[in-house]
Amino acid sequence: MTSPLEKVCAEVLKRVNPSESERKKVQALAKKLIEKVEKAAKEKRVEAEVRVEGSVAKNTWLRDCPEIDVFMCVPTTMPREDFGTVCLEIAKEATEGYRQIERFAEHPYLEAIVDKVWVNVVPCYRVKPGEWISATDRTPFHTDYVKPLLDEQKGGEVRLLKRFMKGVGVYGAEIKVGGFSGYLCELLVLNYGSFIKVLKAAADWKEKTVIDYEGHYERKDDAKKLFEEPFVMVDPVDKRRNVAAAVRKERLDEFIVASRAFLKTPDLKFFYPPHIEALEPTELVNRINGRGSAIVFISFKGGPAVPDVLWGQLYKSQRALRKLIQKHDFTVLRDTVWSNEKNLNTFIFEVENRFLPNMKRHLGPPLSKRMSCEKFLRKHVGAESTVSGPRIEGGRWVVDVQRRYTDVVKLLKEKLEDSGAGVGLAEFVSKAVADSLEVMVNDEALKLYSGSPEFSKFLTEYLEGKPSWLT
Amino acid sequence: MTSPLEKVCAEVLKRVNPSESERKKVQALAKKLIEKVEKAAKEKRVEAEVRVEGSVAKNTWLRDCPEIDVFMCVPTTMPREDFGTVCLEIAKEATEGYRQIERFAEHPYLEAIVDKVWVNVVPCYRVKPGEWISATDRTPFHTDYVKPLLDEQKGGEVRLLKRFMKGVGVYGAEIKVGGFSGYLCELLVLNYGSFIKVLKAAADWKEKTVIDYEGHYERKDDAKKLFEEPFVMVDPVDKRRNVAAAVRKERLDEFIVASRAFLKTPDLKFFYPPHIEALEPTELVNRINGRGSAIVFISFKGGPAVPDVLWGQLYKSQRALRKLIQKHDFTVLRDTVWSNEKNLNTFIFEVENRFLPNMKRHLGPPLSKRMSCEKFLRKHVGAESTVSGPRIEGGRWVVDVQRRYTDVVKLLKEKLEDSGAGVGLAEFVSKAVADSLEVMVNDEALKLYSGSPEFSKFLTEYLEGKPSWLT
C-alpha cells in the first residue's frame, strides 16, 4: 500500500521527469550548441572552453521547461568589457537565425529560443577555485561538484523539490522572487537525502539555519556569525559564499509553512496551484469597496530593462514609500508592487483610512528633562498648530497639534510631484513619477484593472492575500 | 529692591493672611463651638474631649475661607456605630439653628454653616499614638505636632503654598482632586523652610521623592520600598503612614511644572487663575467640530451622595471604559469625567475617529509555534470573518478580519445597555447607565452644554486642555 504522500510524489514525478526521447533531444541540442559556440569563438580567435552547465548538465531539469545554459569559459587575460562585445557577438553568431534577447545579470549574456528551447549563452572566466573574477565563474565548479553526486533517482528528488517550490511560489533567485535557486535545491537534496526529507527538515527550521554540507567550518556558529542572511547554505565550492544569499525571509517562511502543510495533507495543488480566474472589474470594485480600507494605487510608467535592476529599484522605493506613509501616521495594512516589466508599474498601499483626523497627539519630553520641556513649551504654547494643551500625561508633556497631512493621497501627490525629493525613492522611480504619476484610491483605479488582465489577476490574488495552497 | 518673586509673594500674603479682627472673630467662634459641643456631649453623657483642629488650630487658614474643625475625642469604649448616632446628635445639638449637612468620610460627621463660617464637627477616638482605631484619630496628634513648630511667619509661608496649590489645581486630598492636603503643605514648609524653598525643591523632585522629616527611617530606601505612592511624606506621628498617600501622579507632576514655571516667571495668576468664560454653545460646537476628532459624551443620572465615593466610582469606571474603547482599536486622545455631584454625570472620551474601517490586521502566532499556527489556520482559513489571508509577515501568520465594532457609539451603547456586564464599571455606574444612558458625539451633545453653564465651563477648559497658568 502506498501512502497519499507517496502517491502524490509518484504522480508529480511522472509529470516532471523528462522522457527518454526528450532527454535525447535536449542533449543533442546542447551538443550542437556547444559546437556552434566553439566554432564562433574560434572564428573570433577567442580561446574558450565551451560547456553546458545548469540543470541540463546536472540532469535536474523539469520536463516542461528545459533551459540550456551554454558557458564559454574564457582566459582571465580577456578584459571584462569584452563580455559585452566579443563574447556577445560569439553568442549571437552561434544562435543566428533564432530569436535573441540581450540580457544582463552581473554582466551581459544572450538568451535565445532554439527549437522552442530556452538557451542562455553566458561568458565566464576560467579560474582556479577561490580566484573568482565574475559572478558566473563558480558555475562550472557547481556543475562539476553536483553532477557526480546526483544519480537518476536523486535527480528526480531535485525535480520534485523544484516543482514544489515553483508551486508554492518560492522558486527562483531573481530579485523579484527572492527565492531558492536550482543549485540550492540540488544541495538541499544532497544534504537531506530526498525531497520528503528536505520538507521534513524545513518544517522544523529554526530562526537561522546553517547548512555546511562540505564541513567547511569546524563549528556552525562560525558560519552563523559570518553570514547575515536568514538561511545559509555554505557553498561547497566556496566557503565564503552563501548559496541561499538571495532567499528573503518571507520566501523562507512560506517554504517552511508550505512544507508543514504538504506533509500534513499531501496534495497535487502544492506542485500545480489552481489557475486563478481574475475577477470581473465590477466584482473587483465591490470587493475593494467592501473592505472599508483604502487601497491606494501609485501608478507610473517606464523602468530599467533588466528585471533584477527594475525590481531592486521597485522594492527599494516601496520600502521608502511605506516609511513615508507610516511616518505620517497612516496605518499600512499591507503593501505590494506590480510591474509588467516593460513600461507600467504600480505600487499598492492598503491603509486603514484614507483620511486622518485634523488633530494628533504629540508626545513631548518627560518632566525630568527640564531644558527640553522649556523648549517644548516655547514651541507649542499658543502656537497656531496647537489644538489643545500642552498638558501633562504619564509624566510627559503632551500636546494635540494639527496634522500636516490628513489625506494620504494629498501626502503622496505632494511628496512625489517634486521627484520625491527626500523620500528615498530609487533613481528611475523618482524620475518616472515626476513625469507620469497617478495616485488612485479604490474604485478610482478601475481603468487600471479593466485595462490589464494581468493586473486584474494580480489584484484578485492580492485581495485573497493568502498562499494558493491554503484552502 | 525687591525681586518680582518677592513682590508677588508679598501681594499674595496681603490677600491670604487674615486680619487681626478676622482672627479674633474665628477664634471666638471656635471657642463658642467648643463650649456648645462640650455641653451637648455632657447632656448625652458622653465623656468627650472637645478641641479645635485643622488650619484654624494651627493658624494656617486662608483669609477668605476659614473652616473650623471641631473634634470630639471620645473614649475607645464607645462602639463605632455611635459615631453615626450619638455623636451626630451631639453635633446637631451644638449647631442647632444653623444650616446642617450630614457628611461621611471614613465615618459620619456634621458640616454646618455658622455665621457664614464652615464648621465641621467630627468624632474621633482618644487613643495613644499608634493605636489608631478610626481614620481621624491621628488628627489631634497632627495639630499637637505642627502647632509649636509654626510661628506667624511660617504660617504665612504655609498660606502661600496652599494658595499656590489651589491656584494651580493641586490642592485637596479628596478623591476628585487627588492632591495635597493642608497638613502636607505644613510639613513641606517645615521640611524645606519656606514657600519658595518648597517650590525650588519641587522643581527638582525626581521619580520617587521620600521626605522623612522626623527621621523615622535610618535609610530613605527603606521608606521608598515600604510605600507605593509616587510621593512620600512620612507622617511624623505615624511612621507607617504616608501623608501624601492621596497625591496622584498627575497632580504631583502638575505641581512640579507649575513650580518651575512660577520660579521662572513669577505671576499672581499662579495663585489666582484668570476666570474662564464658558464659550457660547454655538462657539463650542464650532470648536469641537473643527478638531476633526470625535468627542464622545456618555451621560447618565444619579450617584452616591458622598463625593469621595462618587468620584472613586466615576474614576474606576472611566478607566474601565477607556480600556474597553482601546481594546476595540479606537485611539483615545484624551478622556475625562464631569459630575455636578448631585444627579448628573458625563464621561468624555475623545477618539481619533468615531468610525474604524471594516477590516483589521490580526496578528497570529510566530511560525516557531507549530501547534498555535495550525489552530490559527483552522480558525481563519475561509472563515466568514476573514477578509484577506492568512498570509505570512515578519515570521508570523497574519490575517485581515472583519471588525466586530466599527462605530464607537455602537460599541458603547451595546456594551453599556446590559448594565455594562463584563466592562468593569463601578456599581452605581452600571446601574445608572442601564436606566438613563445617553451616548452623544460632538454637536449631538449641544443640549448637554447649553443646559448647564457649569458643564459648558468644564468643556471650555477641556478644549483648552492646558494648565490655567500656561499662557
Side-chain angles (χ1 to χ4, degrees):
Chain A
M1 268 236 339
T2 50
S3 71
L5 191 60
E6 289 166 321
K7 254 191 211 157
V8 172
C9 291
E11 169 62 26
V12 176
L13 271 179
K14 254 193 260 172
R15 300 195 194 181
V16 293
N17 280 343
S19 68
E20 208 44 52
S21 67
E22 284 162 332
R23 281 170 214 250
K24 279 190 179 145
K25 183 190 151 197
V26 167
Q27 293 302 343
L29 181 56
K31 202 173 158 231
K32 193 175 84 183
L33 286 165
I34 290 178
E35 287 163 4
K36 281 192 172 185
V37 175
E38 276 173 344
K39 184 163 167 267
K42 202 169 270 174
E43 280 167 15
K44 296 271 178 200
R45 291 170 199 279
V46 171
E47 190 253 298
E49 184 188 340
V50 184
R51 353 180 329 165
V52 169
E53 313 287 348
S55 60
V56 166
K58 295 177 279 190
N59 190 28
T60 56
W61 53 284
L62 300 186
R63 180 177 196 169
D64 295 329
C65 32
E67 196 176 320
I68 303 178
D69 297 327
V70 181
F71 272 53
M72 53 181 119
C73 310
V74 302
T76 54
T77 48
M78 178 184 271
R80 190 65 170 266
E81 306 84 71
D82 289 5
F83 278 18
T85 55
V86 186
C87 292
L88 207 56
E89 283 160 29
I90 294 170
K92 280 182 184 175
E93 176 82 29
T95 56
E96 184 148 35
Y98 298 101
R99 200 181 137 203
Q100 298 175 329
I101 310 141
E102 280 184 40
R103 294 284 186 193
F104 192 97
E106 194 218 18
H107 57 246
Y109 67 96
L110 192 77
E111 205 172 74
I113 301 163
V114 181
D115 302 345
K116 286 184 195 155
V117 175
W118 287 82
V119 172
N120 300 310
V121 184
V122 185
C124 75
Y125 285 113
R126 207 160 63 236
V127 295
K128 288 201 190 98
E131 298 178 359
W132 323 113
I133 303 173
S134 88
T136 44
D137 299 351
R138 287 183 196 84
T139 304
F141 293 92
H142 292 162
T143 307
D144 291 346
Y145 179 81
V146 163
K147 215 169 156 178
L149 299 175
L150 288 177
D151 55 16
E152 181 53 33
Q153 196 267 334
K154 284 265 196 308
E157 300 291 329
V158 172
R159 284 188 202 100
L160 278 174
L161 182 58
K162 284 183 175 180
R163 186 65 250 169
F164 181 85
M165 286 192 169
K166 280 184 189 231
V168 304
V170 303
Y171 186 77
E174 61 267 32
I175 305 259
K176 180 185 179 183
V177 178
F180 297 70
S181 67
Y183 179 46
L184 181 51
C185 288
E186 290 154 2
L187 294 176
L188 284 170
V189 167
L190 284 181
N191 185 70
Y192 290 113
S194 74
F195 165 64
I196 293 300
K197 282 179 180 166
V198 171
L199 262 55
K200 280 186 178 160
D204 261 336
W205 279 345
K206 300 287 178 280
E207 207 39 39
K208 184 164 177 175
T209 298
V210 174
I211 302 175
D212 181 13
Y213 183 60
E214 266 300 312
H216 280 306
Y217 295 89
E218 251 181 66
R219 288 167 311 177
K220 280 236 169 120
D221 269 357
D222 296 342
K224 216 173 240 186
K225 269 175 222 153
L226 191 65
F227 297 104
E228 283 177 356
E229 295 91 0
F231 181 67
V232 179
M233 170 73 77
V234 180
D235 192 342
V237 310
D238 181 356
K239 65 178 281 192
R240 284 179 309 180
R241 183 171 172 266
N242 174 13
V243 179
V247 178
R248 284 204 298 272
K249 182 77 165 68
E250 297 77 24
R251 291 302 93 75
L252 179 64
D253 286 344
E254 282 161 12
F255 177 58
I256 291 171
V257 293
S259 297
R260 291 176 186 173
F262 174 71
L263 292 172
K264 207 174 163 225
T265 323
D267 195 300
L268 268 178
K269 72 183 172 190
F270 287 89
F271 301 88
Y272 301 101
H275 178 71
I276 288 203
E277 199 71 58
L279 292 168
E280 289 298 311
T282 50
E283 180 55 21
L284 270 177
V285 167
N286 286 344
R287 290 276 290 276
I288 287 172
N289 286 340
R291 286 157 97 90
S293 61
I295 304 189
V296 183
F297 300 85
I298 304 169
S299 195
F300 58 98
K301 300 246 160 66
V306 179
D308 269 2
V309 179
L310 171 75
W311 286 103
Q313 295 211 15
L314 288 176
Y315 287 148
K316 184 191 169 198
S317 306
Q318 183 188 358
R319 285 193 299 273
L321 286 169
R322 189 196 303 138
K323 257 196 186 160
L324 172 74
I325 296 173
Q326 287 173 331
K327 201 183 113 190
H328 287 85
D329 299 326
F330 295 91
T331 304
V332 176
L333 292 167
R334 196 155 41 119
D335 54 312
T336 186
V337 56
W338 175 84
S339 174
N340 67 359
E341 299 194 356
K342 272 183 237 129
N343 50 17
L344 209 60
N345 318 286
T346 303
F347 293 113
I348 298 184
F349 290 91
E350 185 168 10
V351 293
E352 275 213 343
N353 287 295
R354 171 174 172 179
F355 298 103
L356 292 178
N358 267 340
M359 194 171 109
K360 67 176 277 191
R361 260 170 70 94
H362 175 59
L363 263 187
L367 298 197
S368 56
K369 304 213 163 132
R370 285 179 72 167
M371 296 304 285
S372 309
C373 284
E374 286 187 20
K375 209 178 133 197
F376 181 85
L377 293 180
R378 269 198 305 278
K379 184 171 171 194
H380 293 288
V381 174
E384 213 181 309
S385 58
T386 296
V387 180
S388 254
R391 63 183 180 275
I392 294 165
E393 264 183 45
R396 321 179 69 117
W397 281 106
V398 173
V399 66
D400 297 317
V401 295
Q402 234 143 18
R403 236 180 248 287
R404 177 78 188 80
Y405 291 99
T406 59
D407 177 0
V408 71
V409 171
K410 201 172 165 230
L411 165 70
L412 288 167
K413 280 191 177 160
E414 268 191 43
K415 293 283 181 185
L416 294 182
E417 259 157 22
D418 186 22
S419 304
V423 173
L425 299 179
E427 209 186 327
F428 110 79
V429 178
S430 78
K431 274 182 201 151
V433 293
D435 293 339
S436 60
L437 177 70
E438 278 195 90
V439 182
M440 294 150 281
V441 179
N442 291 356
D443 46 19
E444 290 170 16
L446 177 62
K447 74 159 200 282
L448 211 61
Y449 33 90
S450 56
S452 161
E454 204 192 336
F455 184 70
S456 287
K457 188 166 172 259
F458 178 81
L459 199 56
T460 302
E461 285 175 13
Y462 172 86
L463 293 178
E464 277 297 319
K466 64 181 178 191
S468 57
W469 49 264
L470 195 54
T471 44
Chain B
M1 267 242 328
T2 50
S3 70
L5 191 61
E6 290 166 322
K7 255 192 212 158
V8 171
C9 291
E11 169 62 26
V12 176
L13 271 178
K14 254 194 260 171
R15 299 195 195 180
V16 293
N17 280 344
S19 69
E20 208 44 53
S21 68
E22 284 164 330
R23 282 172 211 252
K24 275 188 183 150
K25 184 192 149 196
V26 167
Q27 293 302 343
L29 179 56
K31 200 173 159 230
K32 194 175 87 183
L33 284 165
I34 290 176
E35 285 162 8
K36 280 195 171 184
V37 175
E38 277 174 344
K39 184 160 165 271
K42 199 170 273 176
E43 279 167 16
K44 296 275 180 194
R45 292 169 197 277
V46 170
E47 188 254 299
E49 184 189 340
V50 183
R51 359 181 320 168
V52 169
E53 313 287 350
S55 60
V56 167
K58 296 176 280 191
N59 191 26
T60 57
W61 53 284
L62 299 186
R63 181 177 195 169
D64 294 328
C65 33
E67 195 176 321
I68 304 177
D69 297 326
V70 181
F71 271 55
M72 54 180 119
C73 310
V74 301
T76 55
T77 49
M78 178 185 268
R80 189 67 172 265
E81 305 85 71
D82 288 7
F83 277 18
T85 54
V86 188
C87 292
L88 207 56
E89 283 161 28
I90 293 169
K92 281 182 182 175
E93 177 83 30
T95 56
E96 185 149 36
Y98 297 101
R99 199 181 139 203
Q100 297 175 329
I101 308 139
E102 282 183 39
R103 292 284 188 195
F104 191 98
E106 192 218 17
H107 56 246
Y109 68 96
L110 193 77
E111 204 172 74
I113 301 162
V114 180
D115 302 346
K116 287 185 194 154
V117 175
W118 287 82
V119 173
N120 300 311
V121 185
V122 185
C124 76
Y125 284 113
R126 207 159 64 236
V127 294
K128 290 202 190 94
E131 297 178 358
W132 323 112
I133 302 174
S134 88
T136 45
D137 299 350
R138 288 183 196 83
T139 304
F141 292 93
H142 292 162
T143 307
D144 291 346
Y145 178 82
V146 163
K147 215 170 158 177
L149 300 174
L150 288 176
D151 55 16
E152 180 52 32
Q153 196 267 333
K154 283 266 194 307
E157 300 291 329
V158 172
R159 283 190 202 98
L160 277 173
L161 183 58
K162 281 185 178 181
R163 187 64 250 169
F164 181 85
M165 286 193 169
K166 279 182 192 235
V168 302
V170 304
Y171 185 77
E174 60 269 31
I175 306 258
K176 182 185 178 182
V177 177
F180 296 70
S181 66
Y183 179 47
L184 180 51
C185 287
E186 290 153 2
L187 294 176
L188 284 170
V189 167
L190 285 180
N191 184 71
Y192 290 113
S194 75
F195 165 64
I196 292 301
K197 283 179 179 166
V198 170
L199 262 54
K200 281 186 176 160
D204 262 335
W205 279 344
K206 299 287 178 281
E207 206 38 41
K208 185 166 177 174
T209 299
V210 174
I211 302 175
D212 181 13
Y213 183 59
E214 266 300 311
H216 280 307
Y217 294 89
E218 255 181 62
R219 289 168 311 176
K220 280 235 171 123
D221 269 356
D222 296 343
K224 216 173 239 188
K225 271 175 220 153
L226 191 66
F227 298 104
E228 286 177 354
E229 295 89 1
F231 181 68
V232 179
M233 170 72 80
V234 180
D235 192 341
V237 311
D238 180 357
K239 64 177 280 190
R240 284 181 307 179
R241 185 173 170 265
N242 175 12
V243 179
V247 179
R248 283 202 299 270
K249 181 77 166 68
E250 296 79 25
R251 292 301 94 75
L252 179 64
D253 286 343
E254 282 160 14
F255 177 59
I256 291 172
V257 293
S259 297
R260 292 177 186 173
F262 174 72
L263 291 171
K264 206 174 166 225
T265 324
D267 195 299
L268 269 180
K269 71 183 173 187
F270 287 89
F271 301 89
Y272 302 102
H275 176 71
I276 288 205
E277 200 72 59
L279 293 168
E280 290 298 313
T282 50
E283 180 55 22
L284 270 176
V285 167
N286 287 344
R287 290 276 291 274
I288 288 174
N289 286 340
R291 286 157 97 89
S293 61
I295 305 188
V296 183
F297 300 86
I298 304 170
S299 194
F300 58 97
K301 301 244 160 69
V306 178
D308 270 1
V309 178
L310 171 75
W311 286 103
Q313 296 211 12
L314 288 176
Y315 287 149
K316 183 192 168 196
S317 305
Q318 184 188 355
R319 285 193 298 273
L321 286 169
R322 187 196 304 138
K323 258 194 185 161
L324 172 75
I325 294 171
Q326 288 173 331
K327 202 182 110 188
H328 287 87
D329 300 324
F330 295 92
T331 303
V332 176
L333 292 166
R334 199 157 37 122
D335 55 308
T336 186
V337 53
W338 175 83
S339 173
N340 67 359
E341 299 194 357
K342 273 185 235 124
N343 51 17
L344 209 60
N345 317 288
T346 302
F347 293 112
I348 297 183
F349 289 91
E350 185 167 11
V351 293
E352 274 213 341
N353 286 296
R354 172 173 171 179
F355 297 102
L356 292 178
N358 267 342
M359 195 170 107
K360 68 178 277 192
R361 260 170 70 94
H362 174 60
L363 263 188
L367 298 198
S368 56
K369 302 212 165 135
R370 285 181 71 167
M371 296 304 285
S372 309
C373 285
E374 287 187 21
K375 210 176 132 197
F376 181 84
L377 292 180
R378 270 199 304 279
K379 186 172 169 195
H380 293 288
V381 174
E384 213 180 311
S385 58
T386 296
V387 181
S388 254
R391 64 184 177 273
I392 294 165
E393 264 183 45
R396 319 178 70 119
W397 281 106
V398 173
V399 65
D400 297 317
V401 295
Q402 233 143 18
R403 239 180 244 287
R404 178 78 188 82
Y405 292 98
T406 58
D407 177 1
V408 70
V409 172
K410 199 173 167 230
L411 164 70
L412 288 166
K413 279 192 177 160
E414 266 191 44
K415 293 284 183 186
L416 294 181
E417 258 160 22
D418 186 23
S419 306
V423 174
L425 299 178
E427 208 186 327
F428 109 80
V429 178
S430 77
K431 273 183 200 150
V433 292
D435 293 339
S436 60
L437 176 70
E438 277 195 271
V439 182
M440 293 150 283
V441 178
N442 291 357
D443 47 19
E444 290 171 15
L446 177 61
K447 74 160 202 281
L448 210 62
Y449 36 89
S450 58
S452 159
E454 206 191 334
F455 184 71
S456 287
K457 189 165 172 261
F458 178 82
L459 198 57
T460 302
E461 286 176 12
Y462 171 86
L463 293 178
E464 278 296 320
K466 65 181 176 190
S468 57
W469 49 264
L470 194 55
T471 43

